[in-house]
Amino acid sequence: MTISSRFAVAIHILSLLEVNKEGRNTSDFIASSVNTNPVVIRRIMSMLNKAGLVITNPGVAGAVLARPMEQITLLEVYRAVQADHKEELFSVHENPNPQCAVGRNIQGALESTFLQAQKAMEDELSKVTLKHIVSQMIEES
């Protein structure tokens, strides 16, 4: 079970917007960096725009960050691209057999642990800004 790759792509997009802020950041340009279809980029950009993380103008090619990179946390990015999906990182399979002792009790036994893990992940993502990511990329290059 993994978090959607949209999360990593969204971070890639935002990082590129910062690094190339003087350039023209069209969906084609961004798609070439991500190595995906521009339609995928436009879909994710729409989510980021709706969340207030980027500014796009209909009919005008290009996008920019809506706020300085040190004010954008990875938790905000995660929530922006997971908004149309289940909020939970983990979920228990549906309809376990109620006649089975395990099936009848598994969800209750796992819920607390899964919620704690979700909170720990969200707490960690809230501590990391886009600036951290961009700085790390620059250090590594």
Side-chain angles (χ1 to χ4, degrees), residues 24-99:
R24 195 159 169 248
N25 295 304
T26 65
S27 56
D28 287 335
F29 173 74
I30 297 167
S32 71
S33 177
V34 176
N35 200 23
T36 192
N37 190 299
V39 172
V40 172
I41 300 303
R42 285 191 288 275
R43 191 173 300 127
I44 294 173
M45 289 287 283
S46 175
M47 293 174 183
L48 296 171
N49 186 7
K50 185 176 177 182
L53 299 177
V54 298
I55 298 170
T56 59
N57 294 306
V60 178
V64 295
L65 294 179
R67 300 192 311 260
M69 66 178 173
E70 56 272 5
Q71 295 177 10
I72 298 173
T73 68
L74 295 191
L75 180 58
E76 291 177 283
V77 179
Y78 171 76
R79 288 182 173 160
V81 298
Q82 294 298 116
D84 62 341
H85 295 280
K86 275 190 126 173
E87 285 294 318
E88 298 87 25
L89 178 60
F90 304 102
S91 61
V92 179
H93 56 285
E94 295 181 21
N95 304 318
N97 183 350
Q99 303 304 313

